[in-house]
């Protein structure tokens, strides 16, 4: 079933907001884009291909995701870099019950305080979206990373 | 003449599918996006600027393109990397007879099985599209690459 | 207030044109995308964060921007590289009086004449747009670069 122009546009804007808030280090606002019942996960492409359940980051409810953000704020050493997401075209499919599945590829660059930039990660988002109270929210975000060398201990969301 | 929102959207989705299928190594499905009469070519920016006909890859009909995909499957050594396309904004112009010309810039990253990612190629797609049986198909895809060092012998499509 | 699909689309095409003309080294045509009263500026993320007025490039009217383009043409040594912009999703907000503010992240790659490509700069555009004579034009473009090491003397626009 074809996705309407308006739904495609609205969800594109939600995904844009997702990346913009992360890049601006507005993690608490980024949290608000998730539904109360949500699942956030970072997995390597290799583990997905081999059907291994191992995650680089896993928060299977919103409280866990909030805790993650809080601990990043307290650790306070994570923000020695600045993120910059560059997003590729959005794919969308109706998933029943008014929900959508969406996917898109990304490149994530990180710059340090000396203004040196490196390619940090490329991969793909797999998202599920629900509409509540007139706004689209994420119920599920799975980031499948092609790039393996991610420090998991203090990893920031992608 | 202005391009309609709907046509722009539909062709954006076709281009999205093009990149998604390549990145998922679904080359046989990717082939289906091309019209029976099609032309696929990879050229360096330098050769285009100097009007040299030399191609890094050239398939001027669909059978040739299919042969290329088959030989990649048989060689079987090509899939030691994983592609990741990141696509920039789409440009479109009506080309008469209900056809369109489209263009867009891309960055293509490759990751190896150790999860190391490198920038493989940047450049620009120049595409021509036709609508048949209610679906848009490529009649022509020319990839003009800025990045020269591409192994031509076993090159995968970009 | 929600941005109409049509305005979003039209401004996306303007931004696409902006990048396409720069990448094709059509600087004189690129100039035409700016309103008579315009401001173009490149700043580092660090200076923006610290509220320092220091710019890497600053043209606060269209004549200055034209002079810049002319001097690049005369210097003639700048075009030893080829630009390639890859643009991320567009953010737009109404700014009153029929104007819009727009923002988007970008990655800019440069290739030399040997076909070697490097990541040159990532960052974010902050734009302001006005509609005159049935066309959208930039009244303000500020490029906030994450990547610091930019040669300012003969810098080309980003």
């Amino acid at each position: 079933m074809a996705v309407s122009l308006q739904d495609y546009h609205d969800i594109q804007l939600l995904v844009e907001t997702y990346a913009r808030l992360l890049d601006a280090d507005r993690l608490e606002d980024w949290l608000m884009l998730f539904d109360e019942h949500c699942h956030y996960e970072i997995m390597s492409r290799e583990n997905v291909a081999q059907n291994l359940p191992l995650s680089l980051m896993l928060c299977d409810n919103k409280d866990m995701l909030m805790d993650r953000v809080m601990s990043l704020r307290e650790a306070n050493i994570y923000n020695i870099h600045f993120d910059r997401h560059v997003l590729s075209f959005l794919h969308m499919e109706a998933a029943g019950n008014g929900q959508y599945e969406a996917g898109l590829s990304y490149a994530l660059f990180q710059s340090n305080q000396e203004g040196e930039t490196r390619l940090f990660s490329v991969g793909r988002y797999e998202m599920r979206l629900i509409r509540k109270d007139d706004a689209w929210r994420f119920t599920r975000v799975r980031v499948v990373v092609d790039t393996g060398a991610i420090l998991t201990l203090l990893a920031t969301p992608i």
Side-chain angles (χ1 to χ4, degrees), chain A:
Chain A
M1 202 184 67
V3 175
S4 77
L5 280 180
Q6 191 65 54
D7 280 355
Y8 188 89
H9 179 70
D10 290 346
I11 285 169
Q12 187 167 32
L13 293 190
L14 180 69
V15 173
E16 188 277 329
T17 306
Y18 176 106
R20 179 164 40 87
L21 293 177
L22 282 186
D23 289 352
D25 192 28
R26 293 170 53 187
L27 300 178
E28 292 79 4
D29 294 329
W30 172 78
L31 265 180
M32 307 296 285
L33 305 178
F34 288 83
D35 185 60
E36 289 311 307
H37 300 280
C38 68
H39 180 100
Y40 178 87
E41 189 174 14
I42 305 177
M43 292 188 78
S44 74
R45 181 171 181 144
E46 202 185 0
N47 283 353
V48 171
Q50 298 180 12
N51 216 7
L52 295 173
L54 203 63
S55 294
L56 297 169
M57 190 191 299
L58 172 61
C59 300
D60 65 7
N61 60 61
K62 200 166 180 178
D63 285 343
M64 270 183 79
L65 200 52
M66 203 172 300
D67 284 351
R68 185 77 184 202
V69 165
M70 305 270 237
S71 65
L72 285 170
R73 288 293 182 223
E74 282 162 19
N76 218 7
I77 40 173
Y78 76 95
N79 61 356
I80 49 172
H81 66 258
F82 304 103
D83 282 345
R84 182 63 57 198
H85 287 77
V86 179
L87 306 177
S88 193
F89 291 3
L90 180 69
H91 174 69
M92 269 178 63
E93 280 180 27
N97 295 320
Q99 300 188 26
Y100 280 111
E101 296 202 336
L104 71 155
S105 295
Y106 71 87
L108 173 55
F109 302 92
Q110 288 191 343
S111 302
N112 64 17
Q113 294 185 319
E114 281 72 45
E116 295 159 338
T117 301
R118 64 171 178 143
L119 176 64
F120 179 69
S121 169
V122 304
R124 191 165 177 86
Y125 291 105
E126 298 172 359
M127 298 164 159
R128 195 175 178 107
L129 301 117
I130 195 170
R131 190 172 180 88
K132 281 191 187 166
D133 304 330
D134 228 33
W136 288 101
R137 291 291 171 257
F138 297 107
T139 58
R140 185 184 175 89
V141 173
R142 184 161 80 155
V143 192
V144 180
V145 298
D146 300 343
T147 314
I150 291 182
L151 274 175
T152 55
L153 197 58
L154 285 170
T156 48
I158 289 180

